[in-house]
Amino acid sequence: SYSGYHCMGHLLGSDPGFFREVKWSGSHLQSLLLVKAGEADSAAIDTVTFDLLRKFAPSYVSGIRIVQETAPAPAPPLVSSWQWSEEEFVAIQTALHRLWQDAAAKTVCRELLLDGFFVWRAEDYAVCRAWV
C-alpha cells in the first residue's frame, strides 16, 4: 500500500540502498503470498487486513512474523468514487450509519472488525503525512 511503503521508509530511514529491490504486488494479500513464497523478504500490511486474514483465512498468515508495528493511523476500510454526487455520498454515509442501529448488522460489522463509520478530517492524517 502507499501508506505502507512510506511507513517502511519512515521506520527504516531514507537509504535507497536498504532494499535490494522493491516489488509492487497490487494487494496486501499478494504481498503476503510473495513473502510466504520467498519472493520477498518483507511487506507492509495494514493491521485490519492482517487481523481479518488471521481470523478468516489463517493459512495466509501462518509462518508470517510481525517485525514492527507503526503508531495507529486513520485508514478507513471504505472509500468511494470521487465522481459521486454529494447526494449519493450522503446517502451512502447515512446507510452505513444506520447499520449501527440494527443489532444483527452491528454484530456482523464487529465480526469484520468494523467498529463504526465516520468521515476523517484532513488533519487526522497528519501522522501519515509525517511519514512521507
Side-chain angles (χ1 to χ4, degrees), residues 79-98:
V79 296
S80 67
S81 171
W82 62 272
Q83 296 177 332
W84 286 3
S85 71
E86 184 65 23
E87 291 143 353
E88 291 169 315
F89 186 71
V90 169
I92 289 170
Q93 285 182 323
T94 301
L96 292 172
H97 286 290
R98 284 185 183 157

Side-chain angles (χ1 to χ4, degrees), residues 47-108:
T47 300
V48 174
T49 299
F50 195 87
D51 287 348
L52 285 170
L53 288 169
R54 184 177 8 222
K55 186 174 187 173
F56 294 109
S59 64
Y60 286 111
V61 296
S62 68
I64 298 292
R65 181 173 43 160
I66 297 172
V67 175
Q68 177 71 40
E69 292 186 43
T70 64
L78 303 173
V79 296
S80 67
S81 171
W82 62 272
Q83 296 177 332
W84 286 3
S85 71
E86 184 65 23
E87 291 143 353
E88 291 169 315
F89 186 71
V90 169
I92 289 170
Q93 285 182 323
T94 301
L96 292 172
H97 286 290
R98 284 185 183 157
L99 283 173
W100 293 96
Q101 297 170 6
D102 179 85
K106 189 185 292 188
T107 299
V108 171

Side-chain angles (χ1 to χ4, degrees), residues 4-129:
Y5 171 78
H6 286 292
C7 172
M8 293 281 271
H10 176 72
L11 290 171
L12 302 172
S14 58
D15 177 11
F18 186 85
F19 292 108
R20 178 175 30 96
E21 178 184 5
V22 175
K23 293 184 177 187
W24 301 97
S25 70
S27 73
H28 290 293
L29 179 58
Q30 188 59 38
S31 293
L32 281 169
L33 294 175
L34 288 172
V35 171
K36 285 182 72 82
E39 296 176 33
D41 296 323
S42 64
I45 310 299
D46 75 84
T47 300
V48 174
T49 299
F50 195 87
D51 287 348
L52 285 170
L53 288 169
R54 184 177 8 222
K55 186 174 187 173
F56 294 109
S59 64
Y60 286 111
V61 296
S62 68
I64 298 292
R65 181 173 43 160
I66 297 172
V67 175
Q68 177 71 40
E69 292 186 43
T70 64
L78 303 173
V79 296
S80 67
S81 171
W82 62 272
Q83 296 177 332
W84 286 3
S85 71
E86 184 65 23
E87 291 143 353
E88 291 169 315
F89 186 71
V90 169
I92 289 170
Q93 285 182 323
T94 301
L96 292 172
H97 286 290
R98 284 185 183 157
L99 283 173
W100 293 96
Q101 297 170 6
D102 179 85
K106 189 185 292 188
T107 299
V108 171
C109 288
R110 287 216 169 107
E111 187 72 13
L112 295 173
L113 307 180
L114 298 171
D115 194 25
F117 297 97
F118 46 92
V119 177
W120 291 103
R121 301 168 310 196
E123 57 267 21
D124 295 326
Y125 286 91
V127 66
C128 299
R129 282 193 300 277

